[in-house]
Amino acid sequence: MILDRKKIKEKRTGFTLPLIFSALLISGCTVADQETETVAEADQKLLSVTEPVQRDFAEISRSGVLRMITHYSSNTYFLNQGIEVGFEYELVKEFARENDLALEVVIIGDDENPYDLLNSGEGDVIAANYTITPERREWVNFTRPYNLVDQLLVFSSSVQAYPGTLEELSGSGIPVSVRRNSSYYSTLTRIIEERGLDIEIDLIPDVMDTETTLVQVAEGEYLATVADDNMFDATNRYMEGLFAGPVISRNDTIAWAIRKNAPDLESRMNRFLYKHFRFTEDRERPRRSTFLNVLRKKYFGESRQVAEYYNPDWQFQSLGIISPYDDMVKAVADSMELDWLLLTAMIAQESSFNPESKSWAGAVGLMQVMPRFVEVEYDRLYDPMVNIREGARILKEHMMHYSYMDSTNMIAMALATYNVGLGHMADARRLAIDQNKNPNEWENVADALLKLMQRRYYQNARFGFARGIEPVQYVKEIMNRYRTYEAVIALAENRQQSGISGVFGTSMSRLP
């Protein structure tokens, strides 16, 4: 029997920020209730883009940006005191780095289908701990695997007697809560059919991720679910109320999903992943690179960042918090009529939110302010509020300098000037004019900045050689991060409006 769960109880308290975004994905979604419907058929109902856009590695390389589609969760992507982290994020970021690409994170929204985001060109790769399944292969291609996992049943501690086998679960009346669009549903339905078991499947909204479901099981909202063993192990380190049941599938392969018409991207990703993960002859003990083992230990073993992610007493419990300096940034931004998320993205890029940061060139503090450009005593620049105010003032001056441009070009020009200086920017704009290009378009100026790294161009420039790749990348990375911060805030606001207040009760006593 399959239950269609359309209403989730809303008696939660004590959210931590990261789990807000994943846990609150449960609202406003219904699923089909035909038992005979396949996963592929269920997914197809949600698809609106069936023909992928033409965007292979050549197009991605020309844009300079690789866009990663993922969920906001502890094993994929999350913010830790403003810094972007996560197993999938760091793995994809390394691929992007090796291919001279900036990385932009596209967070899957409430009503968004990841396949649509991929095939429409909104993103280039789905990196979300996806198991390779025949159903998913109908819509996307997969790279070579980078992980092997076992699927296991996970029970709530509120269950009186834990079934030790699937046969014991059969007829027990304990429903197993899974998403129809998950590989877990496919595995369960296959087992039920093959063995003739009477296992009750409780369908939950397709937008709920595995981590959120595990939280619900720990809270006793669900009695059982299915999870990959690595995700269960990571969650179980920091959460009480979970009990591991029998394994229902072994050695499932985890891979990235890409468009079917992107063979060059697939080839490059496969070469990258081959360096980090290879099968042995028995497939039981794959060989992993040191880099991959470090990531696995960091996110699926004990980790300060993941502990903070789960900690209900973590200082950033409120909705919409990006960094420890949000209040300061908002106050300064309001006083200067600037976008506080833009300033926050700059701080992340400049200093990774370290107020004691100092560069080789002498720039200091959160916004890496150069002492010679301000009328503030040197030591005071290490005061976060002072540094943010001075950095924002400099950015504002640059924006005023380009105020006759449209907002997109104005912001890009101001950011680049903040990084490389007015002199080199003036040289780049003059070079754009010399090449009969519009000097008020950032794309043209970015191209000129790159040319100022070549002797035949910089030898005639007033300010000489410029390491143009740095401001170009600087603008890309800040704007990518800005868009991600916007998505995080939008998710927080949507969840807040849903009226659900928390996921954790008293089940977190394992935390240090």
Side-chain angles (χ1 to χ4, degrees):
M1 169 176 154
I2 297 180
L3 304 178
D4 189 354
R5 183 183 295 260
K6 296 182 180 179
K7 184 176 181 181
I8 307 299
K9 294 181 181 179
E10 299 183 2
K11 54 177 184 179
R12 320 276 195 268
T13 58
F15 266 105
T16 59
L17 168 70
L19 279 170
I20 287 169
F21 304 125
S22 57
L24 291 176
L25 289 173
I26 62 178
S27 60
C29 179
T30 60
V31 294
D33 56 5
Q34 290 88 359
E35 294 188 27
T36 58
E37 185 177 57
T38 67
V39 176
E41 289 168 343
D43 282 348
Q44 188 174 20
K45 289 182 178 180
L46 300 175
L47 288 173
S48 60
V49 181
T50 56
E51 292 295 329
V53 300
Q54 293 295 328
R55 182 175 161 84
D56 202 350
F57 186 80
E59 290 76 19
I60 294 170
S61 183
R62 279 195 292 270
S63 74
V65 178
L66 178 72
R67 298 191 288 258
M68 163 189 167
I69 302 166
T70 194
H71 294 286
Y72 194 104
S73 69
S74 67
N75 71 307
T76 54
Y77 169 87
F78 64 99
L79 299 178
N80 182 260
Q81 301 189 39
I83 303 302
E84 297 169 294
V85 291
F87 176 86
E88 297 281 2
Y89 172 75
E90 291 204 36
L91 188 59
V92 178
K93 186 176 182 180
E94 180 63 15
F95 170 81
R97 185 194 65 79
E98 290 188 9
N99 287 275
D100 296 321
L101 297 169
L103 180 61
E104 179 179 347
V105 177
V106 179
I107 299 173
I108 302 169
D110 291 7
D111 302 319
E112 293 179 322
N113 185 301
Y115 305 137
D116 279 345
L117 292 174
L118 179 68
N119 288 324
S120 68
E122 290 294 316
D124 301 308
V125 55
I126 302 174
N129 197 60
Y130 268 21
T131 302
I132 300 174
T133 66
E135 293 82 8
R136 287 171 173 164
R137 283 190 183 277
E138 291 195 30
W139 315 118
V140 296
N141 279 355
F142 282 95
T143 62
R144 61 178 296 115
Y146 55 88
N147 203 5
L148 284 178
V149 297
D150 295 338
Q151 293 183 18
L152 73 157
L153 286 165
V154 181
F155 296 101
S156 169
S157 60
S158 62
V159 173
Q160 297 298 316
Y162 303 118
T165 65
L166 287 171
E167 284 68 26
E168 291 179 13
L169 177 63
S170 180
S172 67
I174 300 174
V176 181
S177 301
V178 293
R179 307 181 311 277
R180 187 186 288 273
N181 67 356
S182 68
S183 60
Y184 310 138
Y185 174 81
S186 179
T187 300
L188 277 175
T189 53
R190 175 178 52 79
I191 290 174
I192 290 170
E193 181 179 352
E194 290 176 353
R195 302 191 192 179
L197 300 177
D198 178 19
I199 296 175
E200 189 176 283
I201 297 179
D202 174 21
L203 289 179
I204 57 178
D206 287 341
V207 290
M208 283 189 69
D209 59 24
T210 303
E211 181 177 68
T212 303
T213 309
L214 287 172
V215 173
Q216 300 288 316
V217 172
E219 289 289 317
E221 297 289 342
Y222 303 149
L223 295 181
T225 190
V226 180
D228 294 342
D229 57 348
N230 59 345
M231 295 184 67
F232 168 77
D233 291 341
T235 305
N236 196 42
R237 290 179 186 275
Y238 305 104
M239 185 185 308
E240 289 189 342
L242 299 175
F243 181 84
V247 172
I248 66 171
S249 179
R250 293 192 180 277
N251 291 336
D252 289 342
T253 49
I254 305 295
W256 293 335
I258 56 177
R259 285 180 289 273
K260 283 180 172 290
N261 60 350
D264 193 15
L265 177 63
E266 181 177 356
S267 176
R268 288 171 181 269
M269 286 186 160
N270 283 340
R271 288 200 297 270
F272 169 79
L273 292 171
Y274 182 75
K275 296 187 300 183
H276 298 291
F277 184 94
R278 303 181 191 179
F279 285 114
T280 54
E281 290 184 3
D282 60 8
R283 293 178 65 92
E284 293 290 333
R285 294 179 298 276
R287 295 176 182 174
R288 295 181 174 89
S289 68
T290 300
F291 172 74
L292 191 57
N293 279 327
V294 168
L295 285 187
R296 282 165 51 82
K297 182 177 180 180
K298 181 176 181 180
Y299 292 104
F300 298 114
E302 292 191 17
S303 163
R304 175 190 61 79
Q305 291 171 320
V306 177
E308 288 179 344
Y309 176 94
Y310 281 104
N311 193 341
D313 297 323
W314 189 31
Q315 57 183 317
F316 309 134
Q317 293 183 26
S318 302
L319 286 166
I321 298 296
I322 299 295
S323 84
Y325 302 100
D326 282 4
D327 289 342
M328 293 184 188
V329 174
K330 287 177 181 178
V332 171
D334 287 346
S335 69
M336 299 188 185
E337 298 183 336
L338 293 171
D339 188 324
W340 77 277
L341 287 179
L342 181 63
L343 291 182
T344 304
M346 289 180 66
I347 293 172
Q349 185 73 19
E350 291 285 356
S351 65
S352 298
F353 299 96
N354 177 11
E356 302 298 320
S357 178
K358 182 178 180 179
S359 76
W360 63 269
V364 301
L366 290 172
M367 295 195 70
Q368 291 292 277
V369 176
M370 293 294 288
R372 69 176 182 271
F373 294 148
V374 297
E375 298 179 0
V376 174
E377 294 179 7
Y378 178 80
D379 290 344
R380 293 193 63 207
L381 286 176
Y382 286 99
D383 180 297
M385 188 61 161
V386 172
N387 195 281
I388 294 169
R389 187 182 66 238
E390 292 302 312
R393 180 186 59 78
I394 294 170
L395 177 67
K396 182 71 172 182
E397 290 177 358
H398 294 327
M399 291 175 69
M400 294 301 294
H401 182 75
Y402 302 108
S403 60
Y404 55 90
M405 301 180 184
D406 64 72
S407 61
T408 300
N409 285 302
M410 177 188 68
I411 292 172
M413 298 284 193
L415 289 173
T417 305
Y418 192 96
N419 177 266
V420 77
L422 280 167
H424 289 307
M425 282 293 289
D427 281 346
R429 296 184 71 198
R430 281 191 289 268
L431 180 56
I433 293 172
D434 290 344
Q435 296 184 326
N436 295 317
K437 295 180 180 179
N438 186 347
N440 296 332
E441 293 286 340
W442 165 243
E443 183 177 344
N444 299 332
V445 177
D447 180 66
L449 281 167
L450 296 176
K451 285 183 168 62
L452 287 175
M453 298 174 65
Q454 303 174 34
R455 189 176 185 278
R456 62 180 174 139
Y457 293 109
Y458 73 70
Q459 66 181 354
N460 298 318
R462 185 174 302 175
F463 291 87
F465 173 85
R467 187 167 174 76
I469 187 64
E470 291 183 357
V472 172
Q473 288 295 104
Y474 181 83
V475 172
K476 282 181 183 177
E477 292 180 9
I478 287 178
M479 295 313 299
N480 290 344
R481 185 177 291 109
Y482 171 79
R483 285 187 286 270
T484 301
Y485 285 172
E486 276 192 317
V488 169
I489 294 298
L491 281 173
E493 291 174 349
N494 289 339
R495 307 306 184 269
Q496 193 171 36
Q497 292 172 3
S498 73
I500 302 177
S501 60
V503 294
F504 294 126
T506 58
S507 63
M508 306 300 292
S509 58
R510 291 188 192 177
L511 285 162

